[in-house]
Amino acid sequence: MRVLLVEDEPTLRAQLRLSLQGAGYAVDEADNGRDAQHLGQTEPFDAVVLDLGLPQLDGLSVLQRWRAAGLAMPVLILTARDSWTDKVAGIDAGADDYLAKPFHVEELLARLRALIRRAQGIASPLLRCGGIALDTRSGRVSADGQAVALTAHEYRLLAYLMHRPGRVVSRTELTEHLYAQDFDRDSNTIEVFIGRLRRKLPAASIETVRGLGYRLDCPA
Ligand code: CA
């Protein structure tokens, strides 16, 4: 999963970036509204954390432009404390959720998880596919009841697929959603990580769909 973090305050941005990365997300950052708008319109994100008070272009305008352009990614806005008018304006502009500063990062992470799964029509934070279980809260994965140890990249890849059970996902889509912009992307690495996941998961969990991509096969 790939998240865009838009926050102009350097210390808070650095803290949030580390927390998001620690939770398994690939993170792109913007410290002003213009860069944020551009990134959001040119790169695919699974969710956006958007501060409203930003230089160059305020967060509300960024959000309105994204929605006017038809972009539907989940957006969580950060508002000033006690500013109920910001919350109302943000939600009316197309925000999916909000947090008032200051907040606990655990709450931000929980809200993001909820936004990301709801965007895929999933209600529970515990994802299941056949014998595979992935707990988005703890980052723990098990197969047929046995704990499976995954690297950060393997987890990110599996989490993306587990949010889209039975759907064919192309290598390009995976590359775009698993790495931040500044990461040295090589679509061959996806194949390598798929191979590693296959060795750790029950046989035939990840199917190759020739010429199209991969599909997580979830027997009922
Ligand atoms: Ca700000």
Side-chain angles (χ1 to χ4, degrees), residues 7-8 51 53:
E7 168 61 63
D8 58 319
D51 184 32

Side-chain angles (χ1 to χ4, degrees), residues 21 61 71 75 107 128 152 195 205 207 209:
Q21 287 171 336
S61 301
L71 296 168
V75 175
E107 184 176 358
R128 288 182 182 282
S205 303
E207 187 187 348
V209 184

Side-chain angles (χ1 to χ4, degrees), residues 51-180:
D51 184 32
L52 288 189
L54 293 171
Q56 296 187 42
L57 184 66
D58 66 274
L60 209 56
S61 301
V62 172
L63 181 56
Q64 283 163 342
R65 290 180 190 194
W66 283 341
R67 294 314 191 210
L71 296 168
M73 70 284 204
V75 175
L76 184 150
I77 53 170
L78 305 180
T79 68
R81 184 168 47 165
D82 298 335
S83 179
W84 65 268
T85 51
D86 273 3
K87 294 169 194 163
V88 172
I91 289 167
D92 278 343
D96 300 275
D97 201 357
Y98 64 84
L99 261 181
K101 292 179 179 179
F103 52 83
H104 289 283
V105 72
E106 288 76 12
E107 184 176 358
L108 178 127
L109 293 175
R111 287 178 183 273
L112 265 190
R113 286 194 291 273
L115 289 181
I116 288 170
R117 65 176 187 255
R118 272 192 236 127
Q120 302 302 326
I122 296 168
S124 168
L126 181 63
L127 309 180
R128 288 182 182 282
C129 170
I132 308 169
L134 184 149
D135 192 331
T136 58
R137 297 160 296 190
S138 62
R140 291 205 178 93
V141 174
S142 65
D144 299 327
Q146 300 291 310
V148 177
L150 299 179
T151 65
H153 276 92
E154 291 163 1
Y155 177 81
R156 202 182 287 166
L157 174 53
L158 182 63
Y160 192 82
L161 293 173
M162 291 283 283
H163 278 82
R164 292 155 185 81
R167 212 192 88 187
V168 178
V169 180
S170 72
R171 260 204 278 178
T172 308
E173 179 177 345
L174 287 172
T175 308
E176 285 178 343
H177 284 268
L178 301 183
Y179 302 114

